[in-house]
Amino acid sequence: MTDRRPDNPETNTFWAEVRRRGVFRVGGLYVAGGFVLLQLGEIVLPAFDAPAWALQTLVVFVLLGFPVAVALSWVYDLGDEGLTRTRSLLPPTRGRLVPSLALLGVTAVSAVLGAWWFSRSAMGTSEAGTGAGTPPASPAGFTSLDPDAPITAIAVLPLAHLAEGDDLFARQLHEEIITRLSRLTSLRVVSRTSVERYRTTDKLLPQIAAELGVQAVVTGSVAMTGESDSVRISVQLLHAPSDTHMESFTWQREMRDILRLQTEIAVEIATEVQGELGVEEVPAPEQIAQVDPEAHRAFLHGRDELERGSPEGPETALAWFDEAVANDPSFARAWAWRAGARVAALPRGASISPDVIAMVREDLERAVELGGAEDEVGTVMVVLEDRLEGDGGAFEGRHATIREAFGEGMRALATADSLRRRYAREETGLGRRLGQPSPMTMVRRYRETGQYDSAAAGLRSIVDENPSLVPAWMALEDLHLRREDYAGAVRVREERIRATMGETADARAALEELRERFDARNPETYWEWRDWNNRMREQRGERVSSVERAVAAVGLGDIEGALEQLELAVHRRDPALLSLRRDPLWDPLRPDPRFREIERQAQGLWQGWGREGERRPR
C-alpha cells in the first residue's frame, strides 16, 4: 500500500479514511488466508496425531486475529519505504480519536482472549497428568519431566570404555549396576536393552530422558588395562530435564573387589537419588566375597558366549566357566552359571544322561554351599524343569528319577509358584540367556526399545493364532495406550471381547457400555469404562487381577485405591506384580512410602530363594 492523498474534501470523512487506509482490502485478504489456513490445519494436524485442542486453538486464533489485522491496517502502511505509520488526514479533534481507541481496545481484548484459551486448552491438557486428582493422559505419559518433580525413574546409560582391548568388562559392569540398582530402590530402572541404543548417539540428554520417560540419568566410564588388576570407574548423576549435574563419584579398586564395588556403586546412586534404600538390606562390604581377577574375566567371557545365542555358545561358555572355577573354586556364581551352561547345551527333546544330571547337581550343590548365588541356582532348576516337562511327556517316564537326583532343598528352589518362575525366566540374567525366547518375550523386547510397530505385528500374530490369549490382547491394548491412542485401545478391546466372549449377552452388554461411555476427546472415559468392566466381571464370578484393578485406579487418579489393590496383589502373589519394576504406569505411586513397602514385599516374593548376595568372605 502507498500513501494516497485525496483530491476531494469528502475524503475527510471517517469511511473515506477507512477506504484510503485499505482496511477493507486487508480484511478481505485476511478472511481468504484464514480460510486456507484452517483447511490446511484440518488436513495436516490429524496426520501428525495432534491433540484435539490444536485445531480448536487454530480456529480461535484465526478468529481473534481478524480485529488485530484490521487494527494494524489502520495504523500502518506498507509501501516502497517499508512498514511506516499511516499519515492521518482527519482533523486532530477528540471525536476523531474514538475509532483509533476502539480498535486498540479490540486488539487488547483479542490478545487476552487468545491467551486465556491457550492456557485453558493446551496447558490444561499438558498438566492433566500431574494435577492432584486428575488422571494422566496415558501410561506412557505418567512420568513427570518437571525439573521440580520427585525422581521416580532413572536410566543408566552404557559406560564408556577407556581401556585397551574389548569392552566386555564395561558392558557386563553396566548390566550388573542396573540389576543391583533395581533391587536397592523403588525407582523404575530402565532395562539394559532399552538404553543400549544410546551407546553411540548425538542426542541431547533432555531428549534421551524424554524418550525413556526418566528424570535422572547416570553416565560413566571404565578405565583399566588388559594386564592390570585394578579398575577406575567414574560415574556422573545428572538431572535430565534441566540437564544439570547432581553428583559425581569415582572409585579406584583392585579387580578382586569388583563384586563389592558393583554393589557400592548402586548404593551410592540409590542413596543420592532417593535418600534411602527402601527395598533391600545391603550387606556390609566385608560380607561380599572377593574374586580372583582371572576367574572373573573367564566368567564374563562365559556369560558373553551364552548371550550370543549361537549353537556352539553353550559349549564355549562351559569351557570359560570351567576356567573360572579352576582359578577360583570359591566363586559361587561361576559354579551356578556352569550348571546353567550344561542345561543350555542339552539338545531339546533328547534324553538326558545320568552323568549330565550328576554334574548339574554337583555344580548347584557347590554354589548353594558357597552362598550368594541363590537366584542363579533357582533359575537353573526352573529352566531344567521347563526343558524336561516340554519333552513330550518323557519327563514322567525316562526322567522320572531326575527329581530324586536333587535334594529337597534344591527342589524347593524350583517352586511351582508362577510369580517366581516368571521372574526366573524373564528377569534374571541367567534366565534370559538360557530360556528360549517366546513370542511374548520378543514382543516385550521390541516394546522396551521403542519398536512399537514390530511389537504390534508380533502381538497380532499371537492373537491371530490364539484368539483366547488374554495377556496378548492386554499387551496390544497397552501399546496403543503408550502412544496415547485411546481410540485404538478401544478398538483392540472390542476385538478382544468378541474373540474371548463370543456373541453372548455379557459381550453385547460390555460392548454397548463401552460405546456409550467412551468419548475420544476425554481419555478419563476409557478408564471409567475399564473400571466398570472389571467390577462387572467380578460380579459374574470371574477372577480379575488385583494389578489390573490397580491399573484402572491409577488411570482415574485414585492413588489410594491403586495402593490398596497392589497390597491385595502381594497377598495373592499375583504374577503381574513384575510390572512394578519397569512399567511407567506406576511412576505416580513411587514416591509414596506405601508403594515402596509394596515393592519391597513383591521383590521378596519373586526373589525368595534366600539370596544373601555374594556374602561369604574370604
Side-chain angles (χ1 to χ4, degrees):
M1 285 181 281
T2 58
D3 189 22
R4 297 171 293 280
R5 292 184 176 273
D7 299 326
N8 193 314
E10 294 181 358
T11 59
N12 289 330
T13 66
F14 170 70
W15 291 110
E17 184 74 357
V18 168
R19 288 194 297 272
R20 185 185 71 83
R21 294 174 184 245
V23 173
F24 291 127
R25 180 186 302 173
V26 170
L29 291 174
Y30 183 91
V31 170
F35 178 78
V36 173
L37 182 62
L38 291 177
Q39 292 295 315
L40 288 174
E42 190 175 4
I43 297 172
V44 174
L45 291 177
F48 288 92
D49 294 326
W53 60 260
L55 185 57
Q56 297 171 359
T57 302
L58 180 62
V59 173
V60 170
F61 272 83
V62 168
L63 292 177
L64 294 178
F66 178 76
V68 177
V70 170
L72 290 175
S73 68
W74 175 271
V75 177
Y76 294 100
D77 195 8
L78 182 63
D80 296 336
E81 299 178 358
L83 193 65
T84 59
R85 189 175 183 85
T86 305
R87 297 174 58 187
S88 176
L89 300 181
L90 295 177
T93 63
R94 184 176 181 180
R96 299 300 186 183
L97 293 177
V98 173
S100 298
L101 294 175
L103 289 174
L104 180 61
V106 168
T107 302
V109 171
S110 298
V112 171
L113 289 176
W116 173 82
W117 173 267
F118 184 75
S119 64
R120 177 179 177 275
S121 57
M123 301 304 294
T125 301
S126 66
E127 291 173 0
T130 57
T134 305
S138 75
F142 282 150
T143 299
S144 172
L145 293 179
D146 185 335
D148 298 324
I151 294 176
T152 60
I154 188 171
V156 183
L157 298 185
L159 302 176
H161 177 65
L162 306 179
E164 301 173 0
D166 60 48
D167 63 345
L168 175 62
F169 178 79
R171 287 189 286 111
Q172 299 288 0
L173 177 64
H174 177 230
E175 180 178 0
E176 289 294 334
I177 292 175
I178 291 175
T179 300
R180 281 163 168 74
L181 188 59
S182 65
R183 290 174 175 172
L184 293 172
T185 177
S186 60
L187 296 172
R188 174 171 57 87
V189 184
V190 179
S191 69
R192 182 176 69 94
T193 305
S194 298
V195 299
E196 193 64 33
R197 53 185 157 149
Y198 300 107
R199 181 172 294 277
T200 56
T201 182
D202 56 358
K203 293 182 178 180
L204 299 177
L205 195 62
Q207 182 180 358
I208 295 175
E211 292 177 358
L212 295 175
V214 301
Q215 300 95 351
V217 171
V218 176
T219 63
S221 61
V222 177
M224 58 182 295
T225 61
E227 298 79 19
S228 175
D229 283 337
S230 67
V231 59
R232 180 182 178 86
I233 300 173
S234 299
V235 168
Q236 295 80 43
L237 179 61
L238 305 168
H239 186 256
S242 59
D243 199 6
T244 56
H245 178 270
M246 294 176 62
E247 191 58 82
S248 295
F249 307 97
T250 301
W251 294 269
Q252 181 82 37
R253 295 286 193 280
E254 293 185 359
M255 279 297 299
R256 65 178 60 254
D257 290 324
I258 189 59
L259 302 183
R260 299 176 180 178
L261 179 57
Q262 290 168 167
T263 299
E264 185 179 342
I265 294 172
V267 167
E268 291 282 2
I269 295 172
T271 304
E272 179 67 27
V273 174
Q274 193 165 282
E276 61 181 6
L277 303 179
V279 175
E280 179 186 270
E281 180 184 354
V282 183
E286 61 271 11
Q287 293 180 291
I288 302 177
Q290 293 182 318
V291 61
D292 179 82
E294 291 302 322
H296 189 253
R297 289 191 183 96
F299 174 72
L300 296 183
H301 279 291
R303 287 178 51 168
D304 192 52
E305 288 295 336
L306 281 182
E307 186 171 350
R308 294 180 190 277
S310 61
E312 65 278 1
E315 292 293 342
T316 307
L318 186 58
W320 283 111
F321 294 134
D322 286 342
E323 182 179 335
V325 298
N327 286 324
D328 188 347
S330 58
F331 191 4
R333 296 182 69 195
W335 287 100
W337 279 73
R338 187 167 82 159
R342 296 188 194 280
V343 173
L346 295 174
R348 293 186 177 273
S351 178
I352 303 176
S353 71
D355 291 340
V356 172
I357 293 298
M359 287 187 288
V360 171
R361 174 179 176 175
E362 180 182 350
D363 289 343
L364 294 181
E365 286 181 340
R366 181 61 172 154
V368 170
E369 177 187 350
L370 292 168
E374 283 74 18
D375 265 3
E376 287 87 348
V377 172
T379 297
V380 172
M381 293 296 296
V382 168
V383 174
L384 180 60
E385 281 207 329
D386 287 347
R387 289 284 185 92
L388 296 176
E389 291 180 359
D391 189 17
F395 177 67
E396 298 299 332
R398 293 174 304 186
H399 304 302
T401 60
I402 290 180
R403 288 184 187 269
E404 305 304 321
F406 294 92
E408 185 65 31
M410 276 195 292
R411 285 202 300 272
L413 295 175
T415 176
D417 181 89
S418 58
L419 174 59
R420 196 173 300 168
R421 295 182 72 87
R422 180 178 168 187
Y423 168 79
R425 290 190 295 260
E426 300 177 8
E427 298 294 331
T428 65
L430 183 57
R432 290 193 298 269
R433 288 169 171 84
L434 294 187
Q436 184 73 16
S438 65
M440 285 296 291
T441 300
M442 294 304 299
V443 165
R444 276 190 289 272
R445 292 178 182 176
Y446 285 137
R447 187 175 60 189
E448 285 182 357
T449 55
Q451 301 178 66
Y452 292 127
D453 290 340
S454 298
L459 288 169
R460 276 293 172 190
S461 298
I462 294 173
V463 297
D464 287 346
E465 183 176 343
N466 188 354
S468 63
L469 194 61
V470 172
W473 285 111
M474 293 176 63
L476 186 57
E477 189 172 342
D478 180 65
L479 279 180
H480 288 277
L481 294 177
R482 285 174 180 260
R483 291 183 283 188
E484 302 185 18
D485 178 14
Y486 283 89
V490 167
R491 288 194 296 271
V492 171
R493 180 61 70 121
E494 290 175 340
E495 291 182 71
R496 168 184 165 182
I497 291 173
R498 297 189 187 96
T500 58
M501 299 176 65
E503 295 297 328
T504 63
D506 289 337
R508 288 193 294 272
L511 289 171
E512 182 178 353
E513 188 71 19
L514 177 57
R515 296 189 186 103
E516 289 182 0
R517 286 179 177 264
F518 177 66
D519 181 354
R521 296 168 297 181
N522 183 7
E524 184 176 357
T525 58
Y526 165 83
W527 296 109
E528 289 173 348
W529 175 86
R530 190 158 166 174
D531 180 64
W532 172 88
N533 185 59
N534 288 334
R535 288 186 277 106
M536 292 301 100
R537 290 173 58 197
E538 287 183 333
Q539 290 181 12
R540 295 196 298 266
E542 299 181 29
R543 184 183 181 280
V544 179
S545 165
S546 298
V547 176
E548 161 61 19
R549 292 295 305 272
V551 168
V554 174
L556 290 170
D558 182 8
I559 302 301
E560 180 66 23
L563 292 171
E564 290 178 358
Q565 289 296 330
L566 289 178
E567 289 171 343
L568 186 58
V570 171
H571 177 72
R572 294 176 174 175
R573 303 178 69 90
D574 193 328
L577 284 168
L578 280 175
S579 69
L580 299 184
R581 291 169 61 88
R582 292 181 182 149
D583 198 327
L585 167 76
W586 309 111
D587 286 356
L589 278 62
R590 296 187 190 279
D592 195 296
R594 285 177 63 187
F595 182 82
R596 296 185 186 183
E597 176 61 21
I598 289 169
E599 188 165 37
R600 185 192 66 79
Q601 294 178 8
Q603 287 205 20
L605 295 179
W606 63 59
Q607 297 172 351
W609 283 299
R611 175 178 48 79
E612 299 293 332
E614 291 84 0
R615 298 192 182 188
R616 186 174 297 275
R618 300 193 289 278

